[in-house]
């Protein structure tokens, strides 16, 4: 059994100003709290910038609308990719890391100075990059593949961002060190911190790749050194670009466990297996970077197939374990509360009015069913050739990083703001629909992109009309993407408005518990723990078989589509 007990004396050491949370009774380090707030708020501002760019892009790719002129399309595409995937996600992840190493461990943040340096470098780097993109001197897209060359400030901004994040991760490790040294807790590390630790370890590897690739590119852009080899650049860049997605997945899964626990009291079915799954991420995820190089001439076929069709599945296995244990643990918690009827009798009694909870459920379903199934399929070496560089790819990763990670992070904010800013949310009915609006919108975006891509529409392409080969079905799917984008962006703006509005106008909850979003309660007349439950995960197991059936259909349909490419009579 894995248990943790906190040592209440730990935060009383000199220099560790803290308070007791009025809702959870946990001790909160005030420095930690300050930097969780700062990083989360700045992250949300970058999410807003990325969201403005998102709607401009979607209304341009929707060929019937075709909003932006050509130069601004590529400029805004560069801007969107970086503000969303790098700035929003990394700032929010640093907030999650600072949370996971302080509050659940009853520990103070390692260093306020280090936190300021990290935050300052990240902010200056992000602003520098945004400035030079909007000035029109870095139209190289997020990946900035050589031999395209941007203004040196573009690379310098990204380097500052990466090194600043690395310094923040160092603060996380420093905090774990003092937690151990001061014995702020006994027993094993809580699962939330363990997941964050896995994310932090992968982040170090990721950001080192970033430094290795960006520093020589920066010096080349200054004219100091020769330009690095483009194939080398792509290989190392994806060590950054892909692995950082696993940081996201680890952080997202951690949020799933945390909110599942807060909203329903769910405890992991088997902690050892959950922890083992996080270790699989650390060991195998870098190999999966190879799926970005599947049409590159520089690496061999055996290397491609080994890395993407064998070793990668060990990381996929980890995601499948988490996507199983989270709903399974929720199902068990619900059955123990007395909702034992049938396969899905417990679903109706879930706390659907809790926006953090609904965000997590939608995140899990979109990530698993759309992101996971398309990801494994597109990452298969043979199938990739019919999907490479089409909108199918964009359709896939908007299901993972947007429907999955971003939505889970939004869900977390519904607790972070009341607990750490100590203000209750304004406009609570709007907060309750926000995850559905954003999740539903992004589902349409993902489906629209995927099907338009299947019909041959390229990603990163300003104009598909001159080709003259796309029929009404293609335009219909681009329209579905456009309508989905409008819904998703309204959901995004609503989220930002609710958060910012709450910071200024929300009712203070100092001295009392936060206003509850709603948690699962026991069925009438049921004494918790008194219920005998058989086959307590059968609903989740049924769901797993539905998932596997969807996967099989999609996977083999793609092999069939591949076979159609060379028609044999
Ligand atoms: C709010 C809803 C969003 C909408 C409607 C949206 C829409 C789009 C569109 C239309 C494209 C251009 C596709 C192309 O022409 O190739 C795009 C690209 C992209 N989006 Fe989003 N997006 C949204 C949110 C996000 C978020 C939250 C993230 C990351 C966390 C993200 C990451 C990306 C990336 C990495 C690209 C590719 C950039 C490139 O090709 O260089 N998006 N998005
Ligand atoms: Cu990848």
């Amino acid at each position: 059994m894995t248990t943790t007990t906190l040592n209440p004396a730990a935060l009383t050491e000199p220099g560790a100003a803290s308070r007791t949370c009025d809702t959870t009774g946990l001790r909160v380090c005030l420095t930690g709290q300050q930097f969780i707030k700062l990083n989360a708020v700045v992250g949300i501002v970058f999410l807003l910038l990325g969201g403005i760019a998102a709607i401009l892009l979607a209304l341009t790719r929707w060929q019937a609308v075709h909003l932006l002129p050509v130069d601004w399309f590529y400029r805004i595409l560069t801007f969107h990719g970086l503000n969303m995937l790098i700035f929003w996600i990394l700032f929010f992840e640093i907030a999650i890391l600072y949370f996971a190493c302080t509050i659940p461990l009853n520990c103070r943040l390692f260093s306020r100075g280090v936190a300021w340096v990290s935050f300052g470098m990240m902010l200056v780097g992000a602003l520098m990059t945004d400035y030079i993109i909007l000035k029109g001197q870095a139209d190289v897209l997020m990946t900035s593949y050589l031999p395209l060359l941007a203004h040196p400030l573009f690379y310098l901004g990204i380097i500052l961002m990466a090194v600043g994040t690395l310094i923040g991760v160092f603060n996380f490790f420093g905090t774990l060190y003092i937690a151990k040294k001061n014995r702020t807790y006994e027993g094993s590390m809580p699962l939330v911190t363990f997941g964050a630790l896995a994310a932090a370890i992968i982040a170090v590897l990721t950001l080192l790749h970033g430094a290795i690739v960006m520093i020589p590119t920066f010096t080349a852009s200054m004219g100091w050194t020769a330009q690095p080899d483009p194939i080398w650049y792509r290989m190392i860049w994806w060590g950054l670009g892909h692995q950082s997605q696993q940081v996201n997945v680890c952080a997202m899964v951690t949020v799933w466990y945390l909110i599942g626990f807060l909203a329903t009291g769910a405890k992991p079915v088997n902690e050892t297996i959950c922890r083992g799954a996080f270790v699989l991420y650390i060991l195998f995820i870098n190999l999966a970077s190879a799926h970005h190089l599947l049409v590159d001439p520089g690496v061999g076929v055996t290397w491609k197939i080994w890395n993407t069709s064998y070793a990668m599945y060990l990381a996929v296995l980890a995601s499948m374990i988490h996507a199983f244990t989270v709903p399974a643990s929720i199902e068990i918690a619900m059955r123990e509360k007395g909702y034992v009827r049938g396969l899905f009798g417990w679903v109706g009694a879930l706390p659907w009015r809790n926006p953090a909870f609904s965000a997590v459920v939608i995140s899990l379903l979109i990530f698993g069913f759309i992101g996971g199934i398309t990801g494994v399929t597109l990452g298969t070496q043979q199938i990739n050739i019919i999907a490479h560089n089409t909108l199918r790819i964009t359709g896939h990763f908007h299901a993972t990083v947007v429907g999955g990670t971003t939505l889970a992070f939004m869900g977390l904010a519904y607790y972070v703001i009341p607990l750490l800013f100590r203000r209750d949310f304004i406009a609570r009915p709007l907060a309750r629909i926000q995850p559905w609006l954003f999740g539903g919108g992004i589902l349409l975006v993902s489906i629209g992109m995927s099907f338009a891509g299947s019909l041959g529409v390229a990603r990163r392409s300003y104009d598909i009309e001159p080709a003259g080969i796309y029929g009404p079905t293609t335009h219909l799917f681009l329209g579905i993407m456009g309508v989905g984008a409008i819904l998703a962006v309204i959901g995004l703006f609503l989220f930002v408005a609710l958060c910012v509005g709450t910071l200024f106008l929300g009712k203070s909850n100092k001295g009392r518990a936060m206003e509850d979003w709603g948690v699962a309660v026991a069925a009438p007349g049921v004494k918790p723990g008194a219920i005998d439950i058989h086959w307590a995960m059968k609903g989740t197991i049924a769901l797993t078989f539905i998932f596997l059936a969807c996967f099989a259909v999609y996977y083999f349909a793609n092999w069939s589509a591949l076979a159609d490419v060379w028609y044999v009579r």
Side-chain angles (χ1 to χ4, degrees), residues 23 63 91 116 127-128 141 160 298 338 340 346 360 371 418 472 479 569:
T23 306
Q63 190 74 30
F91 273 107
W116 272 122
L127 292 176
M128 191 185 275
L141 302 186
L160 281 176
V340 287
W346 48 282
V360 160
R569 272 167 223 278

Side-chain angles (χ1 to χ4, degrees), residues 238 241-243 245 288-289 291-292 396:
W238 281 109
H242 179 78
Q243 278 196 103
Q245 300 325 306
S289 310
H291 66 211
H292 296 274
H396 152 71

